[in-house]
Amino acid sequence: MKGYFGIGVEGVSKAMNVGTLFRTAHAFGAAFVFTLRAQYNRREGSLSDTSDTPRSVPTYNFASLEAFRLPQGCRLVGVEISDSAIELPSFRHPRQAAYILGAEREGLSADIQSICDYVVKIPTRFSVNLGVAGALIMYDRQLSLGRHAPRPVAEGGPVEPVALPVFGEPIYKRKQRSRARAAQATK
């Protein structure tokens, strides 16, 4: 899968939820994890983050919105239950994305939502746990951007293998051939 993603939280105070999210992010191959205006105690979070994500994945702790930074070209995607949010099954994930989830009771703040490139919602009847919401977002990203065999029409596993990628010749070879043809045409 091309591209990368990071995932983080804003204003969260429950270290176990953050630890679970970070462990799941590590399992899904996150390029980085982060907290923003959060009271995250890494020692408490390690009770649920048994993979010790901060030792394996770049981890950023931003004290304020002014300090918050993302890699160049990275799109910020907020996860929030709101009428204007895009339903997750209808969302095309950016190739370079950072997903941010809000605090357990308050959700994403208005100032964070205002800087998000997109805000998505998980189509559930009510709010789910922070770690579960993050896992659903990352799983949906993997399903929609990863290379998987097509789902069969009937129940069960795939009957068709994953198609091999077709890349073509390198650009320099095409340019070399084009120049050779142009040189032949001028003779």
Side-chain angles (χ1 to χ4, degrees):
M1 180 166 44
K2 292 185 178 182
Y4 63 83
F5 78 93
I7 193 162
V9 295
E10 178 205 15
V12 175
S13 60
K14 295 182 179 176
M16 293 290 280
N17 284 343
V18 179
T20 300
L21 178 70
F22 284 5
R23 181 180 189 276
T24 305
H26 188 190
F28 273 104
F32 61 94
V33 294
F34 64 92
T35 64
L36 171 62
R37 298 188 292 218
Q39 301 166 4
Y40 178 55
N41 180 318
R42 184 173 164 195
R43 188 172 45 205
E44 287 178 33
S46 69
L47 296 174
S48 59
D49 180 9
T50 55
S51 71
D52 197 9
T53 301
R55 289 185 54 141
S56 301
V57 176
T59 303
Y60 303 97
N61 298 300
F62 301 103
S64 66
L65 186 55
E66 295 73 33
F68 183 58
R69 299 284 180 269
L70 290 174
Q72 185 174 348
C74 185
R75 308 289 231 143
L76 184 60
V77 180
V79 181
E80 182 61 50
I81 298 171
S82 79
D83 293 337
S84 60
I86 303 165
E87 288 203 347
L88 186 59
S90 302
F91 179 65
R92 179 162 310 273
H93 294 265
R95 184 180 270 186
Q96 302 163 311
Y99 301 93
I100 187 164
L101 295 94
E104 294 89 349
R105 294 183 192 270
E106 294 88 34
L108 283 179
S109 66
D111 56 345
I112 286 295
Q113 288 186 56
S114 71
I115 66 166
C116 286
D117 294 292
Y118 306 100
V119 176
V120 297
K121 64 181 170 185
I122 300 166
T124 56
R125 292 184 5 211
F126 48 85
S127 179
V128 294
N129 173 275
L130 176 85
V132 171
L136 289 169
I137 295 292
M138 291 181 277
Y139 183 70
D140 187 75
R141 177 183 175 84
Q142 185 173 13
L143 277 181
S144 64
L145 296 179
R147 295 190 66 246
H148 306 282
R151 289 185 191 243
V153 175
E155 62 186 45
V159 293
E160 300 172 38
V162 176
L164 293 175
V166 179
F167 296 106
E169 287 185 300
I171 292 174
Y172 76 91
K173 287 280 191 185
R174 286 181 268 174
K175 287 181 179 179
Q176 201 175 43
R177 198 171 40 254
S178 179
R179 278 189 236 121
R181 275 191 234 126
Q184 287 289 352
T186 58
K187 288 184 181 180

